[in-house]
Every structure is written in C-alpha cells, then in structure tokens.
Amino acid sequence: MSTARLWRENPSRYNLAASKCGVCGKVFFPPRNVCSTCHRKSIGKMQQLLLSGEGEVYSYSVVHDAPSQFELLKPYVLAMIRMDEGVMLTSQLIDVDPKKVEIGMRVKTTMRKVGEDGPAGVIYYGYKFKPIT
Amino acid sequence: MREVAIIGVGDTRFGELWDMGFRDIGIAAGLAAVQDANLAAEEIDALYVGNMSAGRFIEQEHVAALIADYSGLARDNIPATRIEAAGASGGLALRQGYLAVASGMHDLVVVGGAEKMTDVGDAMAAEIQSSSMDQQWEVTFGATFPALHAMIARRHMHDFGTTREQLASVAVLNHLHGSMNPKAQFQRAIDLKTVLNAPPVAEPLGMFDCAPSSDGAAAVVLCAMEKARKHTDKPIKILASTQASDTLALHARSDITSFKATHVAAQRAFKLAGLEPKDIQVAEVHDNFTISEILAIEDLGFFPKGQGGRAVVDGQVSIGAKVAVNTSGGLKARGDPIGATGVAQVVEIVSQLRGTAGKRQVAGARYGLAQNVGGTGATVVVTILGAT
C-alpha cells in the first residue's frame, strides 16, 4: 500500500475519528459522508466524533495462518469489538492469554505498530486493544 | 420479461490443474456447454464471464475478450463481458446473462466462470482472496478470510449452542458427496476425527473447515424458453435469479450469525418462483467454510435460525433427506475456483434436475436452488431452477 493511502486514514487509525449522523444520532466508524438510515437528509449533517476507546469483545478468533507481515505475531487474537458508542470494528487483542479471551470481555484501545509495507516500506501505526483490568 | 431456460452445461475437473492455463480451462468448459446444447458458434449472441481476480492471479485483465477470442467466437464480434463480485462472480455472471435473455435483447447467451488460482503460491492466493473483504478496515488490522468466518462461527456457537462437532460434520458430509463426483478436487471420504485433529487455521476453524484453492471453469448456455426445445428435450427453466448486497465489512452489521443478503435474495427468489423452501429437493450452497453452510441453510429458510448445525448432524441435508445440500461436494470437496463456483453450482443443479447426476442423483428432483456468496455476504446471488 502506498504511504499516501495509509496516511490519509491517520485520524481514524490514530484517534478513532468516527462520524455521527446529525439527524438520527447513529455513529459510523470509519466516518461516512452519508447516513445509511437517513440517506439524503443527512447530507451536510454528519458530525465528527472521537470514540472513547472502550468497548467489549463481540467475537474473536485465534489466528494461526496469517499473511507474511503478521508472521512474527502468530498466533494472534483477532476480535470484533463493539465500542461503547455502539459501532463495531475489527482489531487485534494484545497483552492477553488467548485462552482467556471471551465474548463480552471489556477492552480498551492502545496505540501500536499495525504493520509495515514490506521490509523497506513505511511502518504504520494504529489501534489495537487490551483488556481493562 | 421472457422465460429463460438452460439448454447446455459444461465444466472442467476442479483442482490443481498444472497442465492447463486460464484460457485452456475457460475454453474447455465453454465448448463442453456449447456441445451439450448442440449449438453452432454463429448462433451465440453474447458471452458473460464470471471471474474474480485474473489480474492478480495471472496478471491478465480483459478476460472476457480473451475467452471470446480463444473459443472461436470473436470473429463474430459478439459482446463479451466480464463480471466481478468476488466469490459471487459466477452467479452474478449467470444473472446478467439471464437478464439479457429475459429482456429480449439476446436469444442465446453463453455464461462462463473461471479462475486459475494455482499459478501463484498459497500465501499469495490467500492474500488475493482477502481483497474481497474491506482491505482498509479489516485486512490492514490482521483480518484474514478464515478469521472473519471463524468469528462468525464463534458467535454462532455463543448465541445458538452450535458445536465444533456440528461444524466438522459439514466437512465430513461434503467430502462424502465429493467422493461420488468424478470432477471433484477431493474424492475421498473423511471422518470426524480428521476434521477435528487438523491443524488450526483460525480458531475454531481448522484446515478441513476451509475450502481449498482450485483451478477450474464451468459454463452454461441460456436460451429463450420459447426457442429452447429446438435444442434440447429437457430444458431446465430458470424460475428466479436474484441478488442482494450488504455492508462490505462484516463489523458494520448488527448481527453476524446470519447473512441478511442471503435472506433477502432468497425471499425475492421464492416469491418470483412461486415456491417455498420446502419445495426445494436439491441445493448447492456456498460452503467456503463449514460455518458458511450452516448459515446458508438457515438463511435460505430450510431450517430455523440456530438449528442448522443440528440439521447437518441429523442427516437432514444428506442425499435421501427432504433437501439434499451440496451433492457436488460443495466448495469444500468439489473445490472453489472463485469465479467458476457460482456457475458450477448451477451445472450441478441442472444435472440433478435432468437426472444425470450418477451416483449422487437425488431421486425425483424437480426444483433446485443455488446460493453464491461474495466476500462475507456483501453480495449474494440466489438462483432457483425447475425441471420441465
């Protein structure tokens, strides 16, 4: 992936920038320009919202077979996390024993290296999650 | 809209076809279908090709023109169109061909699906396949195609009590069916232990819960119903061909234990066909992972939500049950050459309705259904066929 493609998403990858529909209040992550419920009524009324960074595990998997860039992390825990604002996202769970992960577990975001664009490419950062202890 | 019939089918063996390139498999399936329909090349009005990613698998785009060229149809300068919707490319190509004939624009259309996956290594094949998910917001963070399905499985287990053994039973059954299909990639029956003891891919799914990478192609010939009997005594009628979409990213849905696009496409299809789930005797569903078949048989309305796993274990989708599912072996055992899969499903249903499915024939099959999925349910195509 090109550097520009990654960098233009930095506000959401670094700070969990989401959007909220000014009509119905529904929250979207990543941000959207149009609300999928209110359609054209929402145009120009989507507001930026920073997610609090806390949520709970909705589902998870321990990944053993992964692309080369995640080779050193294997096995790692991938999870879908329902944020307290109601929106869901996909991320890795870290600092946790994979056997102790469960649905409903409370987690919070933490800034980590997410990947790199090949051995000589740009390193990119973003959110991962760890248990709230 | 006119009624549309399938008057010819053809397919290649699925598997690691080292001696055949993309154009070889595409042409082999296409010619078999055209011969089956007793057609002359000059009768064909248009070609539709389902293909997910020839650009990345073999660095060749523009594959509809390529197939038209090498099949000997290009000299007639027929329109040739490539259709892409990830895993649903084949089913969607069929739907485009169906619409072209139903509308009256064309009388005779060939629909093919093809994918050549083994010219790249396993790791690259998996990476290409993952581009059917949300690259920016799923894949970047470590999501793999098996991992997203593993999370569907985990949640289904949590919400409905579906068990690891029930998931594994899907693979056992589809391998049994594959053992009766001489064109399947895997023609060996396996037992529950083999599935349960296989190396983990993304827990709770292991190697035998996942469909393989495959090379293969399949094709069908569509004809206006009013002209079909000129070509065959046994035209198979397309009673419905429907399509629905959903969010690209799995996490953008409020519930992942069901593919809403399957439900919506099926509802539309049953309404158009004037049928109900209980009228279907044979179905090909998109079992790219064991959990996918459980979701499919629930979302299509064959079984109540949460009962799919039990239904498989109880033999309710085996040959001889009220509805036989994935008699071809499904994606799991027959193989999954992505763009070919949706067309191959329809080839299997046609064989069943014609009564030519050999050892795996479902006695007296009259109505059949195919469900073809792209990504994690972001595109679903449902086709209902009827014997005439």
Side-chain angles (χ1 to χ4, degrees):
Chain A
M1 264 192 254
S2 76
T3 307
R5 183 173 176 186
L6 290 160
W7 282 19
R8 73 175 80 102
E9 310 294 355
N10 280 353
S12 291
R13 273 211 332 279
Y14 289 6
N15 295 319
L16 293 168
S19 60
K20 181 179 180 177
C21 175
V23 181
C24 74
K26 191 172 176 187
V27 177
F28 296 93
F29 183 88
R32 296 190 181 206
N33 293 325
V34 180
C35 170
S36 56
T37 303
C38 302
H39 308 294
R40 65 177 302 140
K41 279 184 281 182
S42 67
I43 296 173
K45 294 186 180 152
M46 302 297 284
Q47 303 150 358
Q48 195 188 66
L49 170 84
L50 298 183
L51 300 180
S52 66
E54 295 194 5
E56 63 177 51
V57 173
Y58 172 79
S59 193
Y60 68 96
S61 172
V62 182
V63 182
H64 294 263
D65 195 3
S68 54
Q69 62 160 326
F70 299 110
E71 189 68 30
L72 295 174
L73 299 175
K74 287 195 312 190
Y76 59 87
V77 182
L78 188 77
M80 290 171 73
I81 294 146
R82 191 179 292 289
M83 306 300 290
D84 288 348
E85 292 81 0
V87 71
M88 199 138 69
L89 50 76
T90 301
S91 183
Q92 289 176 36
L93 288 190
I94 56 167
D95 298 343
V96 64
D97 178 351
K99 289 189 189 68
K100 298 213 167 121
V101 179
E102 50 188 46
I103 289 175
M105 183 179 206
R106 294 287 301 167
V107 292
K108 66 177 177 194
T109 187
T110 175
M111 180 87 158
R112 284 291 189 278
K113 173 182 165 183
V114 169
E116 56 196 23
D117 197 10
V122 64
I123 289 173
Y124 51 98
Y125 298 86
Y127 49 82
K128 288 187 181 179
F129 284 76
K130 57 185 185 182
I132 296 175
T133 46
Chain B
M1 297 282 270
R2 299 191 292 179
E3 291 188 328
V4 180
I6 296 176
I7 60 167
V9 296
D11 53 7
T12 65
R13 202 193 145 166
F14 283 5
E16 296 173 326
L17 310 178
W18 305 117
D19 55 340
M20 293 177 93
F22 179 84
R23 58 189 87 189
D24 301 320
I25 53 174
I27 304 316
L31 289 184
V34 168
Q35 280 180 322
D36 184 43
N38 286 314
L39 284 188
E42 47 279 10
E43 295 177 89
I44 297 165
D45 296 323
L47 172 69
Y48 291 85
V49 177
N51 171 261
M52 174 180 167
S53 200
R56 295 191 67 197
F57 282 119
I58 58 165
E59 294 172 29
Q60 175 71 61
E61 304 289 12
H62 214 171
V63 292
L66 182 150
I67 302 263
D69 176 7
Y70 273 76
S71 62
L73 303 175
R75 65 195 155 131
D76 296 316
N77 304 106
I78 61 163
T81 310
R82 178 240 188 116
I83 307 287
E84 189 275 316
S89 301
L92 199 50
L94 181 90
R95 179 166 146 81
Q96 300 312 306
Y98 165 79
L99 293 174
V101 177
S103 70
M105 179 62 78
H106 296 306
D107 282 338
L108 243 159
V109 164
V110 176
V111 176
E115 208 80 51
K116 177 73 194 173
M117 298 177 73
T118 66
D119 280 353
V120 297
D122 282 349
M124 179 56 82
E127 196 179 296
I128 296 169
Q129 195 148 33
S130 74
S131 63
S132 68
M133 315 178 330
D134 191 325
Q135 195 69 25
Q136 208 97 356
W137 299 102
E138 291 179 326
V139 179
T140 302
F141 291 91
T144 64
F145 207 40
L148 292 193
H149 287 85
M151 291 197 283
I152 294 172
R154 176 89 66 196
R155 190 71 207 192
H156 202 279
M157 293 161 110
H158 175 269
D159 289 3
F160 302 111
T162 297
T163 65
R164 179 70 191 92
E165 287 71 23
Q166 289 171 353
L167 293 172
S169 299
V170 174
V172 172
L173 179 64
N174 290 347
H175 271 260
L176 177 66
H177 290 169
S179 74
M180 295 182 267
N181 182 353
K183 285 180 172 167
Q185 182 160 357
F186 301 127
Q187 299 179 26
R188 213 182 283 181
I190 55 171
D191 59 16
L192 206 59
K193 241 189 236 158
T194 304
V195 186
L196 295 175
N197 294 338
V201 173
E203 293 177 45
L205 304 180
M207 196 173 73
F208 275 87
D209 290 277
C210 312
S213 288
S214 321
D215 305 325
V220 300
V221 181
L222 306 183
C223 179
M225 189 69 203
E226 66 216 35
K227 298 181 180 174
R229 297 216 183 255
K230 272 199 331 202
H231 302 280
T232 175
D233 297 334
K234 271 196 180 172
I236 301 298
K237 195 153 119 186
I238 300 181
L239 298 169
S241 168
T242 60
Q243 174 191 355
S245 60
D246 204 343
T247 62
L248 182 66
L250 187 65
H251 59 228
R253 303 181 201 155
S254 56
D255 176 14
I256 64 168
T257 61
S258 169
F259 282 168
K260 194 175 174 194
T262 298
H263 178 72
V264 170
Q267 295 277 309
R268 289 175 185 160
F270 282 120
K271 194 171 171 213
L272 281 169
L275 297 173
E276 293 177 51
K278 66 173 170 50
D279 298 318
I280 303 291
Q281 291 96 37
V282 55
E284 289 285 302
V285 306
H286 201 94
D287 62 322
N288 51 352
F289 298 93
T290 48
I291 182 64
S292 316
E293 177 160 328
I294 291 173
L295 249 59
I297 60 179
E298 295 172 353
D299 295 340
L300 289 166
F302 294 138
F303 301 98
K305 194 78 229 161
Q307 300 295 309
R310 189 165 308 151
V312 175
V313 174
D314 290 349
Q316 293 186 61
V317 293
S318 305
I319 294 172
K322 257 176 60 193
V323 56
V325 174
N326 284 336
T327 55
S328 69
L331 284 62
K332 176 72 204 76
R334 181 189 182 147
D336 181 20
I338 311 172
T341 289
V343 182
Q345 291 178 320
V346 169
V347 171
E348 174 70 9
I349 298 294
V350 169
S351 306
Q352 289 286 355
L353 300 182
R354 282 176 171 177
T356 57
K359 274 200 262 181
R360 58 188 196 282
Q361 180 65 46
V362 172
R366 189 162 160 66
Y367 297 113
L369 177 150
Q371 176 243 18
N372 188 203
V373 178
T376 46
T379 299
V380 175
V381 180
V382 170
T383 313
I384 298 181
L385 304 177
T388 52

